[in-house]
Amino acid sequence: MSLSERIIESNKGLLSEMVQLKYQAMSENAFRFFRGTCDLFYQDLALWKAIPKSPLGWICGDLHVENFGSYKSDDGQVYFDLNDFDEAILAPVVLELLRMITSIFLCFDFLELEEVKAANMVQVFLKNYSTVLVAGKARAIEPRIAKGIIKTFLDAVCKRKQTRLLDKRTEVKKSKVVLSLEDERHFELEKDLKEALTAHLTDWLKNHDKSPYNFKVKDVVFRLAGTGSVGTKRYMFLLESLQKKGKYLIVDMKQSQPSVLNPFVKIKQPEWSCEAERVVFTQELSQHMPCALLSYTIFKGDSYVMKEMQPTEDKIKFRLIQDQYRDIYQVIDDMALLTASAHIRSSGRSGSAIADELIEFGKRTDWQQILIDYSQAYFKKVKKDYKIFKDGFESGLYAI
């Protein structure tokens, strides 16, 4: 199949009007194109016959530099960690590393930094990943122990108040607080769907052990967010406290699709009740502490991951630190620590390798240059594919 046929095929079954917005986002630059084509990455990787052997682990499946960020957990603490598990699966951990280090090459190219600097940073990532594996102890990053730009970043997000999130996401209409439709990422729902969602979440609030039971639903909209997940169903709810006037929560409800790695990973997987259970299971294993209200639900036959949206949620904006090489170095080093920690934390669970196997893998170095060479070559392929895609998008090839 041609590149355009592969892209169109991979987005079949998604909301067509939202897929057009996804294509528009993918046309911005090669890095965002890469983020929106995770399935193409694994289709191409399946053709490579020299993938080094590695232990099985619970991987997020779509690891790249934009899939780390800050969040508040149920314990009230703010952490910096992996934060996207839509494609999570039991697979050789080397797949996680290949996707991540390819993203480093693409991110540095986006930032207009020399390729040699990207190659050096990839070596930094793999070296620290291996060092943490060999130590065999999972670690976490929170404000008290963070360093450099991550500490500055976490200290800043910790100061954000709930009113910041409400100011961004809500407005007052007829003396009532509602979700704002002025935000270009928010879309109004048809009346019947809105009523069905409100009834569903009301039931969830009353009966689910992870829900904030002392809240009621005030409003709901369709929400657009991310790149790869654009086209799936995603809703945002405004909840109001039944006990404290003027206190609100915002909850995200995101549809889970089968992992794009399914056709390429021949490892026997657990039997999940739904796709969202897989996502939540992996996230709870991999993060030091899961994000607040993390759970899943079934609505009209589709499964959804639930979580609280918070003012402390954010990502490192690499464009703002592109001239600060030392800061970028620290961020990539921390991302390596967190990746290794996630693999250690989820070791020995439901088919994944035990920690001893990960430690032995970390001691080996024979696989590292092989990954670097592949990722460096593949990053150049992505740039060529992006140019083909952008030309096709601008010519109307992807229009409905």
Side-chain angles (χ1 to χ4, degrees):
M1 287 195 292
S2 67
L3 178 67
S4 61
E5 289 172 331
R6 293 169 67 196
I7 291 173
I8 291 170
E9 179 66 26
S10 70
N11 287 284
K12 277 186 177 178
L14 302 181
L15 301 172
S16 57
E17 66 275 20
M18 293 300 164
V19 169
Q20 292 301 302
L21 296 177
K22 177 179 181 177
Y23 291 156
Q24 184 176 345
M26 287 165 51
S27 71
E28 291 178 7
N29 54 68
F31 181 39
R32 197 148 191 199
F33 171 79
F34 174 77
R35 289 165 53 195
T37 54
C38 185
D39 46 353
L40 267 61
F41 175 83
Y42 287 109
Q43 289 172 21
D44 293 335
L45 184 58
L47 302 176
W48 186 34
K49 303 304 181 184
I51 300 177
K53 290 185 178 180
S54 64
L56 295 181
W58 285 102
I59 66 173
C60 86
D62 186 21
L63 193 65
H64 55 74
V65 296
E66 290 283 326
N67 272 347
F68 294 80
S70 60
Y71 66 92
K72 185 179 72 174
S73 74
D74 281 330
D75 68 358
Q77 179 64 269
V78 174
Y79 295 95
F80 185 78
D81 210 339
L82 286 70
N83 65 0
D84 190 327
F85 295 85
D86 291 349
E87 313 300 345
I89 197 169
L90 178 66
V93 296
V94 73
L95 303 187
E96 189 100 290
L97 304 180
L98 282 163
R99 180 106 177 127
M100 176 62 189
I101 63 177
T102 302
S103 84
I104 295 175
F105 280 113
L106 284 158
C107 180
F108 271 55
D109 182 71
F110 167 68
L111 296 175
E112 300 177 338
L113 297 172
E114 298 94 325
E115 189 176 326
V116 65
K117 287 186 175 180
N120 290 339
M121 201 62 70
V122 164
Q123 290 182 327
V124 166
F125 180 89
L126 292 178
K127 180 180 178 181
N128 198 34
Y129 171 84
S130 295
T131 299
V132 176
L133 279 193
V134 171
K137 185 176 179 62
R139 294 165 60 187
I141 296 179
E142 44 94 353
R144 292 173 300 173
I145 60 174
K147 296 178 289 186
I149 195 69
I150 297 290
K151 178 171 178 56
T152 303
F153 169 73
L154 287 178
D155 285 344
V157 298
C158 283
K159 294 175 182 177
R160 295 177 186 170
K161 305 298 183 184
Q162 186 71 8
T163 51
R164 175 190 172 106
L165 180 63
L166 293 172
D167 288 344
K168 286 179 62 177
R169 300 287 185 175
T170 66
E171 60 183 331
V172 178
K173 280 189 173 181
K174 297 180 180 179
S175 301
K176 294 181 180 180
V177 178
V178 295
L179 292 167
S180 174
L181 292 174
E182 296 298 317
D183 191 314
E184 62 182 8
R185 298 164 298 174
H186 300 174
F187 298 83
E188 189 170 10
L189 296 167
E190 292 182 359
K191 182 180 178 181
D192 289 349
L193 178 56
K194 187 170 185 176
E195 289 177 351
L197 283 164
T198 298
H200 179 81
L201 203 77
T202 298
D203 182 71
W204 180 78
L205 288 168
K206 290 179 179 177
N207 298 304
H208 200 289
D209 60 358
K210 290 285 186 71
S211 73
Y213 60 89
N214 55 341
F215 280 78
K216 63 179 179 180
V217 181
K218 293 293 291 181
D219 199 12
V220 55
V221 298
F222 187 97
R223 179 185 177 218
L224 184 70
T227 302
S229 62
V230 174
T232 58
K233 299 168 187 174
R234 192 166 192 171
Y235 308 108
M236 183 170 67
F237 295 84
L238 177 66
L239 309 182
E240 183 180 22
S241 173
L242 294 169
Q243 298 178 339
K244 186 175 180 181
K245 185 176 175 61
K247 182 178 181 180
Y248 297 91
L249 287 180
I250 297 179
V251 171
D252 180 71
M253 178 174 157
K254 182 181 182 183
Q255 183 187 16
S256 294
Q257 302 278 5
S259 172
V260 299
L261 284 85
N262 279 348
F264 315 109
V265 174
K266 305 306 179 184
I267 310 302
K268 181 175 174 57
Q269 302 293 315
E271 293 186 9
W272 307 110
S273 64
C274 62
E275 295 298 338
E277 182 188 15
R278 166 185 56 82
V279 175
V280 171
F281 171 85
T282 310
Q283 185 162 350
E284 288 181 333
L285 280 185
S286 303
Q287 292 181 326
H288 174 65
M289 289 291 291
C291 60
L293 303 186
L294 181 66
S295 58
Y296 64 91
T297 189
I298 308 292
F299 175 69
K300 291 186 177 294
D302 294 320
S303 67
Y304 294 80
V305 173
M306 310 289 292
K307 68 171 187 174
E308 181 187 347
M309 291 179 62
Q310 312 148 353
T312 49
E313 277 185 281
D314 207 347
K315 297 178 180 180
I316 296 291
K317 296 174 176 60
F318 280 87
R319 178 63 86 181
L320 299 180
I321 60 171
Q322 68 184 96
D323 297 325
Q324 303 169 47
Y325 189 75
R326 184 182 295 274
D327 287 333
I328 296 176
Y329 180 102
Q330 182 64 61
V331 172
I332 298 298
D333 204 47
D334 283 342
M335 288 178 175
L337 178 150
L338 294 171
T339 304
S341 294
H343 293 166
I344 293 168
R345 203 173 281 124
S346 60
S347 63
R349 298 291 302 274
S350 299
S352 61
I354 62 173
D356 286 349
E357 293 177 69
L358 290 170
I359 290 169
E360 290 305 313
F361 177 65
K363 289 178 179 178
R364 290 170 37 208
T365 58
D366 56 312
W367 51 271
Q368 295 189 13
Q369 191 59 49
I370 298 173
L371 300 197
I372 294 171
D373 291 344
Y374 178 89
S375 296
Q376 195 161 16
Y378 192 77
F379 129 75
K380 293 173 182 176
K381 181 182 186 304
V382 173
K383 289 186 68 177
K384 291 178 181 177
D385 286 349
Y386 164 68
K387 179 66 168 60
I388 295 170
F389 167 78
K390 186 175 182 181
D391 289 345
F393 176 76
E394 292 178 345
S395 68
L397 181 60
Y398 296 90
I400 298 175

